[in-house]
Structures are given as C-alpha cells and as structure tokens.
Amino acid sequence: MQFPESWLRSFCNPDLTTQQLADLLTMAGLEVEELDPVAPPFTGVVVAHVLEVSKHPDADRLNVCKVDAGTGSILQIVCGAPNVRPGIKVPCATVGAELPPGTDGKVFKIKLGKLRGVESQGMLCSARELGISEEANGLHILPHDAPLGQNIRDYLKLDDTLFTLKLTPNLAHCLSVQGIAREVSALTGAPLMLPEVAPVKPAIDVTIPVKVEAANLCGRFVGRVIQGVNPQAKTPDWMVERLARCGQRSVSPLVDISNYVMFELGQPSHVFDLDKIHGGLTVRWGKVGETLKLLNGQTVTLDEQVGVIADDSQVESLAGVMGGDATAVSDDTRNVYLEAAFWWPSAIAGRARRYNFSTDASHRFERGVDAAPTADYLERITQLILDICGGQAGPVVDQVVAQPKREPVTLRLSRAQLVIGMPVTLAQCQQVFQRLGLSYSTQAAGDDTHLIVTPPSWRFDLQIEEDLIEEVVRVIGFEQLPKRAPKAPVVSRVRPEAQRGSYAVRRAVAQRGYQETINFSFVEERWEADFAGNTQAIRVLNPIASQLSVMRSTLIGGLVEVLRTNLARKADRVRVFELGRIFKRDASVQDGNQTVAGFDQPVRVSGLAYGPADTQQWGVSARQVDFFDVKGDVEALLAPRQATFVAADHPAFHPGRCANVLLDGAVVGVVGELHPKWRQAYDLPQAPVLFELDAHMLAQRKVPAFTSVPKMQSVFRDLALVVKDAVSHDALIQSILTAKADGLVRGARLFDIYKPKAAVPGMAEDERSLAVRIELRDDEQNLNDERIELAIKQVIESVGQTVGARIRA
C-alpha cells in the first residue's frame, strides 16, 4: 500500500514528524517498508512564462527564449526542448540553482554561460531533470494558472513523502488512506476528518434491472445510471497527482475517479458503458466453457468456481476482479452504469491468480471490504463524476442480499493482563476500544471483568479474544511493556545418544560426497505418475505456477530435475541429496498440533549419484557409478545397524537393479538405478542411481556397546557350492549362518562366482558355483580338526536342505 503523506494528513494530522509517524505505524503493526521523497532535493527552480521563441543563429536544434521568471527582468535562455513555444508555463532553474545529481552523482549547478555564442541566463526544465518523473520528451508544461515566480516545490507540493506499507492479510481495513487515517487517529488521539458524502439527488428516473442469483458470491450490490457524461474531460491535476503518488497512472476521468475512491475509501468499483449492456445484469457463478475478454486484453475461460456479472447475452465482468473489454468506457461513451458491491472474500480469493494476474480490486475483496457504507461510497463516486464529467444521475438501486455478521468477542481483563505481561486497567481497555470505534459492554464475572466487544463492519480480523488483546497492547504501545528477564528456568534439551537430529543426518550424507539441494514441495503431476506411480496425487488449490500443481509423495522427481539442470551446465559428476517432507493420503491420520486429518507427512532423505564413481585421478581407473556404490553409501549411513537388501519393484527404478532397504525386517527405504524409460523420457545420457530412506529411521542408531577382543583364533574354510541360478546371495549366506554347527559359525563371505559358458560335468546350465569363506571360532577353547570337520559337515547339510546347494566336484 503506497500513498503520499500529505493525503494522509488531510484525513488526520497528528503533531508528529514524518519519521515519528512512520515509527508509530510500524510499532502498531502497519510496517512502513519504505519512506521515499516525492522529489530529490533541488533549489532555485520557479514557475516561468515563455514569452518569445526564436531559432538559435548557429544551431538548428536550439532555440533562444525570452522568459519571465518573476524576477522583475526578462531572462534570455537557450533551450533545446522540442515542445518549447510561446505562452506556456514551465519550471525554470535560475542562475545559482542546484538540480538533482546526474549519472555522475554530482549536483548540477546552473551558471551564467553561453551556448554556441548566445548567452543563457538559466535553464528550462523537464520533469526528469527535476527527478519527479521518468518522462524525458520535453519540458514539463504547467497549467496556465500557475503563479508566476512561485517556487516549484511549493507549487507542485514536492516536499512530500511517499509511505509504502507492508500490510499483513488481516489488515484489510488499512488498504485505503481513510483506513490508515482511522488507525493514526486511534493511536494518537488526533481528530479524524472524513470527506463529506452527501446523497446525489436523482435528475433522471432511469435504471437497469439487476438480479443477484448467488448469495454466496455477492452480499450487496449497488448501482446507478449516469447519462450525458463527457469521457474526454480532463482529470483534475490534484487527482492525477494523488493517483501517481499511489503508483497508479491516469487513464481517463471515469477510470481515474473509480481508482481514486478505491485508494481514498477502500471501495473498488466498476464503470460500465451503459449503451453496450444488453438488457439487464445478473450476478451469478460462471458456467463451464464461458469465455470473457478482460480489460487487460486477456481472454479467460470460466467455470462454476468463478463469479461473473453477465447481461442477457454474455458475461461482461469477472466479479470483484476485472471488467470486461466489451463494456469498457471509451471516448465515445455518453451513458454509464456505475457499480459498487460487496463480494464475499472466499468467493474472490485466488480467482485472479488462477489466470496469472492480480488487481487492486481483487487484492482488497479477497481480504474483506466494508459492506456497510457501499451506497455512501457510490454517492462519493457519483458526485466526482458529475463534478468532472458532468451528466445526470439516476436513482441508486441497492440490493442487500446477505451482509457479514460480526459476532461479539469477549475480553477477560485478567487474561489480557496475563498475556500482555503488565497490569492493564479496565479504563485503559475501554479507552482503546473507544478510540478504535469498537462498541462494547462491561460485565462483572466474580473477581474478573469481561468486556464484550462487537467488532465494527470494517474489522474482519477481530474474531477471538487474542485479537482484542493485540488491539489493546498495540494502541497502548509496545514500548510501554515492562522490561523483565524471563523467570522460567532455561533447561537445555539433551538429545538421547541413540538418536541424531536432522542436522547430523545432513552432515552424514554430505560426508559421503553429496551436496544438499532444496526443492519445492509442490511438483509436476507427471513426476508423481512417473516416479511414484501416483495417479491420485494431492492437488494444490492455488498453485504458484501451472506446472507445480500437486504435492510430492517422493523426493526423486526433484532430484532428477536438479540433475538435468546440472547437466545443462556441463557438470559430468553429480552427487545431490535432499531432506524434506512428502505428502500422502492416509485416512488413519487424525488432526493434531503437527498433523492434518487424512494426510501423512513423513520426512524422507533421498540422494542421487551420477557420472564417474570418483573424481578424476591417476591412481584409480575411471568407471561409472553403479548400484553397489550407492548401496555402500546407504549401508554407511545406517551403520552401525546392519541393513539387508531385498530385490523389489519400484515405478522409478530398473526392474533388475532395485532393492528395498530393510532394518530388523521392516522396509525403511529403497535404492536403485533409474528406469531406462525415464532416462530416455527425461533426456539423460546415463541412468543415475538413487536412494530414498525414512529420515526417522535414519536418525536412530545403536549406542556402541563394549565387546572384548576374541581370545581364541578363528579358523577359515572355503567351500565351493553349486546352486541354482535362482538362489540369491542372501538366502545362501543366511542358510550358512543359521546352520546348527555347535554355534561355531561367526561369518560367511562370498569371494568368487563361477558360471561356465558351456556345459561342464557336474553342473547344469541353470546352475552356478559360489565360493564362500566361512569363519569358525569358539570363544572358550581352540578348535581341533574333528570339531571343524563336524561343523563344516553341518553347514553343508544346512545349505543342502534349505537352498539345494551341494559341494562342487
């Protein structure tokens, strides 16, 4: 919200400096983001009258002007502006004047000098040279009634300051100069001076029928006809100036008046060309397939979620957002229909963003506009139109369908004192409510006192007791709060040793050579289908971009997109990871402090490895990263807990190069190589290897426990076992470890695989030989050959019974 200080002070003029006023607003919750002067400092510039203009004798593009600057003598000034002519009034910098700095940063001083041999006693100025506009197409021409010789800063009111407020969504009542003035008056006690709005007496008896069909869209609709307007009338300079200082350019008098009252009083309105309306108007929800060309030239497709104003033949306006091009006013307009309405915030919220734009009107309506004075504001707009554009006004047609009700809110005095932290009195609370214009009643409740407050029509944000407490403390002043040290003991929360935080998890992944990336939680719908097989993704109601339309149920899609971005920048080796939430539908989840009913939001850790396994070096031959490299990373992250890997199918991964990660028999993640069809679909030269783990399980780790060094030596025996190709490594090793070998088997490790290319005696085509080294040890005594042989025999029997293995001949 941007506005000039002078406009605010015309409503409420407290005895405060500009900086004090800005500090007051900021401390009251209306953050002043910027304070900018209307014009930079300059001196010696006055209103001057150009009397004569003649060509320079030695320069085709220069003119020699005779100028009256109110100094008592006629000045001769050489000027090169294309629009200089006799009779105009312009800013004139006299000798000794100092103009704003140029590109070199130095103040520009006006001196008596000569241009191509002709003496120049000053300088005629453009708006850009004075720093009041970016226009540089010639001199800044002033109105004919500008007082000769008056300081240009006084005439143009350049000693003004632009306030830019950063308002939170709950401060809809401050989206106008009147609303901010009301706050300043409450904060300072300075009188509030509102513009007088007198009803305009109808001069004609002309109306058009209006029907409000959607009470949940429009609560109040006010309109009137004005005939015989002059759309080519000139917008007054004071209005153009105020609009410009609010960041709004002048368009035409009818549009300017509508915008002016919106900034002044906070009521958006719309002016229709009456002669372009077919029949009557209907306020309703849109229909699927309807289209509307807007004032900005954009054609939008409507549906039943968007409110419209339609005539008997077509849609004419996007309700509360923007008017249609078909009924826009132009230089040929003679009769208009003026509309002001109250649109329910929920009916307007997000509608403009659906079509990738925003308007001042939608910004206000979706936060809440005061419905009570809608007719009065229409009278204000009407009077300005009649004063500037002329015409005759018809009667006001006011349809009140359903206005918002303000439910009383109770403030407990004891609760206010507890929350604020100082002994606020009943009189202080009553004074605050009086200054804010809040009606209230007092009620005794035992040792306490209750103030029952009925919020006014313009306060949409007062709904609970804490809202009233906030009003009390901000009006009294946050600087009045006592400065006390906290009394509560400060006790650090020590994390259990068997648990590590998310920061430690990030550090652990980074130590494996991965770099962290942070991606949006909303992703492309295609990613969900491709990488998660999720065709019923959670949709975003108001996506920030059309492609980011669903919530992610996996982190894989974001990492693949990061990989593509890096490859586009010629990166040949990429290691990235992300720790973040995913979002899944789960009917078992109930509402809680950190949960939303029906949606599970677990935290996941996902990583991606692409390119060479190691950075380029002389000691190791270059090779591409593979499944086992990333599997090793996962094992290191889960250590000292021992993970097992079981072959699995996953929508994102290669069918034969994917495994579930299990801890104590429970699946905690997945690791695999990207599916070939996704590598091709996403234009990847090679397939990356990815993993995704449950961050909660990754944060759990066993506390190290003391184990003595074995006193007895281990004995190793190698076995060459023939098994079917279908027998997995895990099944074979598990069979060995669980063999009843008097408890002597301490470990088993595969060290060789033999698969003959052609048939050999003793091995079928669907068999292979696995060489396994088995560790045997007794912690109490040394092993002898007899016990060793017995244990090996029992191992051979176990693998034969469980996986069908036999000793290779």
Side-chain angles (χ1 to χ4, degrees):
M1 175 67 185
Q2 178 179 301
F3 60 90
E5 180 183 1
S6 58
W7 198 359
L8 175 62
R9 289 188 181 273
S10 69
F11 280 84
C12 181
N13 190 11
D15 187 18
L16 298 173
T17 64
T18 299
Q19 189 59 53
Q20 288 173 335
L21 179 59
D23 293 341
L24 175 75
L25 290 173
T26 298
M27 292 304 297
L30 284 68
E31 180 186 353
V32 178
E33 190 173 27
E34 292 182 16
L35 283 177
D36 296 315
V38 169
F42 61 83
T43 60
V45 183
V46 297
V47 177
H49 185 204
V50 180
L51 302 176
E52 297 178 9
V53 177
S54 60
K55 285 292 183 181
H56 191 288
D58 293 329
D60 294 337
R61 296 186 180 181
L62 296 180
N63 297 294
V64 180
C65 306
K66 299 296 184 181
V67 178
D68 183 1
T71 59
S73 61
I74 304 302
L75 303 179
Q76 177 176 284
I77 298 177
V78 177
C79 176
N83 63 338
V84 65
R85 61 185 183 274
I88 62 173
K89 289 186 176 180
V90 296
C92 175
T94 57
V95 174
E98 294 184 352
L99 298 185
T103 55
D104 59 357
K106 297 180 181 179
V107 174
F108 185 62
K109 295 183 178 180
I110 303 300
K111 302 177 181 179
L112 184 65
K114 290 184 177 182
L115 290 176
R116 292 289 185 92
V118 177
E119 185 178 81
S120 183
Q121 299 169 332
M123 174 180 170
L124 304 184
C125 302
S126 67
R128 185 173 185 177
E129 289 164 337
L130 297 179
I132 59 178
S133 174
E134 290 300 319
E135 296 182 5
N137 54 356
L139 300 178
H140 182 54
I141 299 178
L142 304 173
H144 290 292
D145 59 354
L148 189 66
Q150 184 178 7
N151 189 314
I152 200 70
R153 296 193 72 90
D154 297 334
Y155 177 71
L156 296 178
K157 299 182 178 64
L158 300 181
D159 293 320
D160 199 356
T161 304
L162 298 182
F163 278 60
T164 301
L165 303 189
K166 187 177 182 181
L167 299 176
T168 52
N170 64 311
L171 297 177
H173 60 286
C174 294
L175 288 171
S176 66
V177 178
Q178 174 186 265
I180 299 167
R182 188 189 289 124
E183 289 290 307
V184 173
S185 177
L187 294 168
T188 63
L192 182 63
M193 298 166 286
L194 300 177
E196 294 184 5
V197 180
V200 175
K201 185 177 180 180
I204 56 175
D205 188 18
V206 179
T207 62
I208 63 172
V210 178
K211 181 168 60 175
V212 179
E213 293 183 350
N216 58 345
L217 168 64
C218 179
R220 186 176 185 181
F221 193 93
V222 187
R224 82 181 326 158
V225 171
I226 304 177
Q227 293 183 339
V229 299
N230 176 17
Q232 300 184 32
K234 185 177 183 299
T235 304
D237 292 336
W238 57 268
M239 182 177 289
V240 173
E241 172 197 295
R242 284 183 171 177
L243 286 173
R245 294 180 184 180
C246 288
Q248 180 68 50
R249 66 180 180 87
S250 175
V251 179
S252 68
L254 292 171
V255 176
D256 291 347
I257 291 168
S258 175
N259 288 333
Y260 179 83
V261 174
M262 178 181 66
F263 286 114
E264 180 186 48
L265 304 176
Q267 173 65 56
S269 59
H270 186 62
V271 183
F272 295 87
D273 189 322
L274 180 63
D275 298 325
K276 298 177 182 177
I277 297 176
H278 306 89
L281 295 177
T282 302
V283 179
R284 59 174 173 82
W285 292 104
K287 299 176 182 178
V288 175
E290 287 184 319
T291 60
L292 172 64
K293 184 178 181 182
L294 298 170
L295 290 173
N296 62 3
Q298 180 180 351
T299 299
V300 297
T301 301
L302 310 175
D303 57 30
E304 65 277 359
Q305 300 296 321
V306 180
V308 300
I309 302 174
D311 61 16
D312 292 346
S313 63
Q314 62 184 2
V315 175
E316 300 294 0
S317 176
L318 202 59
V321 178
M322 184 181 289
D325 182 70
T327 53
V329 295
S330 65
D331 290 345
D332 299 326
T333 299
R334 291 295 175 266
N335 307 307
V336 299
Y337 180 74
L338 182 60
E339 166 264 317
F342 168 74
W343 307 99
W344 290 101
S346 59
I348 304 301
R351 270 51 176 192
R353 289 189 292 276
R354 288 183 60 179
Y355 302 112
N356 299 319
F357 67 86
S358 179
T359 64
D360 288 319
S362 66
H363 183 76
R364 286 161 173 79
F365 280 126
E366 66 186 5
R367 285 160 173 77
V369 171
D370 188 1
T374 306
D376 294 336
Y377 293 166
L378 189 81
E379 297 284 5
R380 170 69 169 161
I381 301 170
T382 301
Q383 188 60 62
L384 289 172
I385 290 177
L386 297 181
D387 292 344
I388 297 171
C389 302
Q392 295 177 311
V396 173
V397 178
D398 187 359
Q399 296 189 54
V400 180
V401 182
Q403 296 195 61
K405 295 180 180 179
R406 297 290 184 263
E407 298 295 334
V409 183
T410 300
L411 171 68
R412 295 167 291 172
L413 186 60
S414 59
R415 175 65 177 170
Q417 293 171 344
L418 178 64
V419 173
I420 295 173
M422 69 178 186
V424 180
T425 65
L426 175 63
Q428 285 178 305
C429 294
Q430 291 174 328
Q431 184 183 23
V432 168
F433 295 152
Q434 290 170 2
R435 289 164 64 174
L436 289 171
L438 311 181
S439 60
Y440 66 91
S441 60
T442 306
Q443 179 180 336
D447 295 336
D448 201 0
T449 302
H450 292 181
L451 287 91
I452 303 172
V453 178
T454 302
S457 58
W458 64 83
R459 294 301 298 268
F460 284 76
D461 59 319
L462 301 182
Q463 299 179 4
I464 59 176
E465 184 177 23
E466 283 71 14
D467 294 331
L468 296 178
I469 295 174
E470 179 186 3
E471 295 300 300
V472 170
V473 69
R474 75 184 187 89
V475 173
I476 291 176
F478 290 105
E479 66 277 3
Q480 302 298 325
L481 293 175
K483 298 178 181 178
R484 300 194 189 103
K487 294 182 179 180
V490 179
V491 180
S492 61
R493 298 178 60 185
V494 180
R495 191 182 301 277
E497 190 177 357
Q499 188 180 63
R500 55 183 172 183
S502 60
Y503 178 77
V505 171
R506 288 184 172 96
R507 294 276 296 183
V509 183
Q511 287 172 356
R512 302 298 302 175
Y514 293 80
Q515 292 183 323
E516 185 174 11
T517 180
I518 300 175
N519 299 303
F520 283 127
S521 295
F522 20 87
V523 298
E524 294 185 29
E525 190 170 6
R526 173 193 176 191
W527 296 359
E528 281 297 293
D530 292 350
F531 301 126
N534 185 6
T535 58
Q536 300 294 325
I538 302 170
R539 304 198 69 83
V540 180
L541 294 180
N542 299 307
I544 62 171
S546 58
Q547 68 273 21
L548 304 179
S549 58
V550 299
M551 303 300 292
R552 65 187 180 186
S553 63
T554 177
L555 305 179
I556 294 174
L559 294 181
V560 171
E561 184 62 24
V562 170
L563 171 62
R564 295 180 66 197
T565 302
N566 279 271
L567 292 178
R569 286 156 179 78
K570 307 302 181 183
D572 62 343
R573 184 176 187 272
V574 179
R575 299 289 188 280
V576 290
F577 80 95
E578 181 176 10
L579 188 150
R581 291 191 182 276
I582 62 171
F583 305 86
K584 296 183 176 182
R585 299 183 189 275
D586 188 345
S588 65
V589 178
Q590 303 297 319
D591 269 324
N593 292 333
Q594 296 181 334
T595 59
V596 178
F599 299 98
D600 188 21
Q601 305 176 54
V603 180
R604 295 283 188 266
V605 177
S606 187
L608 177 148
Y610 175 90
D614 295 299
T615 55
Q616 189 173 11
Q617 58 168 303
W618 59 270
V620 178
S621 299
R623 65 176 182 85
Q624 296 299 308
V625 67
D626 59 21
F627 173 89
F628 299 101
D629 292 315
V630 177
K631 174 177 175 287
D633 291 335
V634 171
E635 289 176 324
L637 292 174
L638 293 171
R641 304 178 73 180
Q642 297 293 322
T644 56
F645 298 81
V646 178
D649 291 327
H650 190 282
F653 297 133
H654 192 297
R657 301 172 186 174
C658 171
N660 283 334
V661 183
L662 281 70
L663 280 178
D664 302 326
V667 177
V668 299
V670 63
V671 58
E673 182 182 299
L674 191 68
H675 199 291
K677 65 180 179 181
W678 305 140
R679 180 194 64 77
Q680 185 176 8
Y682 288 86
D683 299 324
L684 301 177
Q686 305 169 41
V689 184
L690 302 99
F691 68 85
E692 186 166 275
L693 302 173
D694 185 344
H696 175 72
M697 298 303 297
L698 197 56
Q700 309 300 318
R701 57 180 180 179
K702 292 182 179 179
V703 177
F706 171 77
T707 302
S708 62
V709 177
K711 297 180 180 179
M712 303 300 169
Q713 290 185 350
S714 296
V715 175
F716 296 91
R717 290 291 185 269
D718 295 342
L719 294 179
L721 301 173
V722 177
V723 297
K724 295 287 187 179
D725 290 339
V727 175
S728 68
H729 164 268
D730 285 348
L732 177 63
I733 298 300
Q734 191 65 24
S735 176
I736 295 173
L737 295 177
T738 57
K740 296 179 181 180
D742 197 21
L744 300 181
V745 179
R746 301 298 182 181
R749 180 176 294 276
L750 177 70
F751 66 87
D752 188 35
I753 299 176
Y754 173 64
K755 177 69 175 178
K757 297 181 180 180
V760 297
M763 289 182 63
E765 292 184 358
D766 62 344
E767 292 182 332
R768 57 182 172 171
S769 173
L770 304 181
V772 182
R773 178 161 294 170
I774 301 173
E775 179 185 3
L776 305 174
R777 187 180 68 246
D778 188 335
D779 293 333
E780 301 298 330
Q781 57 183 333
N782 286 326
L783 296 176
N784 54 35
D785 291 343
E786 183 179 347
R787 293 185 66 193
I788 294 172
E789 293 301 326
L790 178 61
I792 293 299
K793 181 179 179 182
Q794 291 173 333
V795 168
I796 294 172
E797 292 176 354
S798 175
V799 296
Q801 294 172 359
T802 55
V803 297
R806 66 180 186 276
I807 294 293
R808 179 181 168 190

